[in-house]
Amino acid sequence: MTDDEAAIRRVVETWMAASRKGDLETVLGLMTDDVVFMVPGKAPFGKEAFAAASKGMGETRIDGDSDIVELNVLGDWAYIRNRIDMTVTPPGGEPVRRSGYTLTLLRKEGDGRWRLARDANLLAG
């Protein structure tokens, strides 16, 4: 495994751990400023909309696992195909389980850190 591959795996691990803790600032720090998310049924959205939606979830708990199925580094860009299984539990509500694949593009920025730049999320209930 190359240093870049290991760094990208750490990005995914950090994202999942921060999501479990509700640490939005850490998650936002793992994204480029021009990040674009694509999810079924919604227009593509960026970092500000992601942050607003996350803040709007209040005390919702998120737990999950991720398995990188494919990872390729192409210069300062990389992509991962990732299988995610997650459970979202709203306060006082029933857990909702979602699973599926994401296709994520990451970019190595000027500070040498890999960050998520584009994400197509196909999780379904």
Side-chain angles (χ1 to χ4, degrees):
M1 180 181 319
T2 68
D3 289 345
D4 285 327
E5 291 169 344
I8 290 166
R9 289 179 183 279
R10 281 192 301 277
V11 168
V12 173
E13 291 166 7
T14 302
W15 184 294
M16 296 301 289
S19 294
R20 283 186 203 98
K21 293 177 188 173
D23 182 356
L24 179 58
E25 292 308 311
T26 294
V27 172
L28 293 174
L30 298 170
M31 301 174 195
T32 62
D33 288 337
D34 65 344
V35 68
V36 176
F37 292 94
M38 294 167 284
V39 298
K42 292 186 179 181
F45 58 93
K47 193 172 193 173
E48 287 182 24
F50 181 97
S54 295
K55 289 175 185 172
M57 292 176 63
E59 296 296 316
T60 299
R61 288 190 337 255
I62 298 173
D63 194 10
D65 296 304
S66 108
D67 179 31
I68 295 175
V69 177
E70 183 178 5
L71 187 163
N72 282 294
V73 177
L74 308 160
D76 287 342
W77 285 88
Y79 70 87
I80 56 174
R81 191 165 50 92
N82 203 17
R83 169 110 177 120
I84 296 177
D85 185 13
M86 65 184 295
T87 302
V88 177
T89 308
E94 293 296 314
V96 176
R97 184 173 177 264
R98 302 242 185 262
S99 62
Y101 290 90
T102 64
L103 180 61
T104 304
L105 300 177
L106 298 104
R107 185 171 62 221
K108 191 174 193 177
E109 298 205 295
D111 63 1
R113 292 183 55 203
W114 286 96
R115 290 186 177 83
L116 189 139
R118 304 289 183 270
D119 186 73
N121 182 319
L122 303 174
L123 300 187

